[in-house]
Amino acid sequence: MWAVGDAYARYMGRWSRPVAEGFVAWLGCGDGLRWLDVGCGTGALTAVVAARCRPSTVVALDRSAAFLASARATVAAPVSWVTADALALPVRDQACDAVVSGLALNFLSTPGAAVAEATRAVRPGGQVAAYVWDYAEGMTLLRRFWDAAVSVDPSAAALDEGHRFPHCRPAELRTLWTGAGLDDVEVVPIEVPTVFADFTDMWEPFLGGQGPAPDYVAALAPAARDRLCAALRGAVAARPDGPIALTARAWAVRGRRP
Ligand SMILES: C[S@@+](CC[C@H](N)C(=O)[O-])C[C@H]1O[C@@H](n2cnc3c(N)ncnc32)[C@H](O)[C@@H]1O
C-alpha cells in the first residue's frame, strides 16, 4: 500500500503537513533535542521538526523504502533516513529526547507494543507524542468518502477506517499512552482546513492506491467506481467545478517518560 510517494503526498501528505505544524507548536520543542520520527512516510512531520525545532539530530524511519526515497528527495534538511520497523527501533535505550509519529499508529499491527518501544527509546523526562486522524468524525474527507462508499455498497462498512481503527479517539489514545507507563498524558484536537480546488482535486488522489480508501477504490469494477464517484460528488459538491472546503481533525497525544 505505501509505495508511491508522490501519490501519497497528493492524497494525504498535503494535509498531514499542516497538522504537523500545529502538533509541533503544541509540543513546544526546545532547541538542540534528539528527535525520532516513527513511520515518517514521505516526511511531512520530519520536515516540520527539522524546520521549526533547531534539532541536534533527526532520525526518521519507515518500513517503506519507496516512501523514504521520496522523503529524502523532498526534505532538504539533514535527516538520517532509516528503513526500519516501529516495533524494533534501531536506537539504544533512552537515546532520544522526543519520539514522535504522524498518522502511523493505526497502521501498526500492535500499537501498544509500538508505544512501549518508543518509550524505551526516550530518556526520562522526554516526550512520546503522536497524532492520528479522527477517522470516526472530524476527518471529513474520509468520513464523506466512507459514507458515500457505504451508501452504494453496504459491505464497504467493514473497511471504514472509522470502525476499523480503534486508536482514533481520545479515550483510546489516553489508555495507550498511560498503558506504556507515560506520565502527564494529554490529548488535544488539531483541526486544519482541507480546501479542494474542485471535485477532481478531491477525487483523483483516491485513484492513487496509497491508503485504505484508495485501496478500496482500486479494487472496484469501473461501473462501481463511477457510482461511488457520483455519490461522493453529490455529498460534497455544492456547485459543479467550484472549490470544496472541508476540515480535517486529528487527535494529538503526548506523555512524558517518568
Ligand atoms: C499514513 S502514512 C503516514 C506517513 C507520515 N508520517 C505522514 O504523516 O504523512 C503511515 C506510514 O506508516 C508506515 N508504517 C506502517 N507500518 C509500519 C511499521 N511497522 N514500521 C514502520 N513504519 C510503518 C507506512 O510505511 C507509512 O509510511
Side-chain angles (χ1 to χ4, degrees):
M1 183 160 69
W2 311 115
V4 186
D6 288 353
Y8 174 79
R10 183 146 186 248
Y11 169 57
M12 212 47 92
R14 62 173 161 167
W15 310 124
S16 180
R17 170 81 190 231
V19 176
E21 295 276 3
F23 173 71
V24 165
W26 175 63
L27 290 183
C29 50
D31 290 0
L33 301 184
R34 299 160 298 169
W35 291 81
L36 174 62
D37 180 7
V38 178
C40 64
T42 54
L45 173 56
T46 321
V48 176
V49 167
R52 303 270 180 263
C53 299
R54 299 177 197 272
S56 144
T57 55
V58 183
V59 176
L61 70 86
D62 202 281
R63 227 169 38 172
S64 165
F67 271 20
L68 285 170
S70 184
R72 222 180 250 117
T74 50
V75 181
V79 171
S80 300
W81 304 102
V82 182
T83 309
D85 198 296
L87 298 172
L89 300 174
V91 296
R92 289 178 288 106
D93 292 358
Q94 307 186 9
C96 309
D97 299 300
V99 179
V100 292
S101 181
L103 305 182
L105 205 56
N106 283 292
F107 296 100
L108 306 177
S109 54
T110 48
V115 181
E117 176 65 349
T119 305
R120 175 192 71 74
V122 87
R123 66 163 166 82
Q127 294 201 80
V128 176
Y131 59 90
V132 296
W133 288 131
D134 178 1
Y135 296 101
E137 283 182 35
M139 198 322 175
T140 51
L141 171 66
L142 290 176
R143 215 36 283 131
R144 297 282 188 283
F145 174 89
W146 287 113
D147 289 348
V150 170
S151 76
V152 293
D153 168 18
S155 73
L159 302 172
D160 180 342
E161 291 151 274
H163 296 310
R164 278 171 53 211
F165 290 158
H167 301 297
C168 67
R169 296 181 180 84
E172 281 80 355
L173 290 169
R174 185 175 290 281
T175 300
L176 208 51
W177 254 241
T178 52
L182 294 159
D183 281 349
D184 304 328
V185 175
E186 287 179 72
V187 183
V188 298
I190 299 175
E191 193 164 294
V192 297
T194 48
V195 181
F196 301 87
D198 53 28
F199 182 72
T200 302
D201 184 35
M202 172 185 286
W203 174 249
E204 280 190 352
F206 282 111
L207 307 179
Q210 300 303 300
D215 251 20
Y216 170 74
V217 174
L220 293 175
R225 193 178 311 155
D226 290 347
R227 278 196 298 278
L228 170 56
C229 178
L232 182 60
R233 185 194 291 273
V236 297
R239 287 186 291 122
D241 301 326
I244 300 167
L246 302 178
T247 53
R249 181 167 65 206
W251 292 109
V253 56
R254 71 179 175 195
R256 196 167 293 286
R257 179 170 172 166

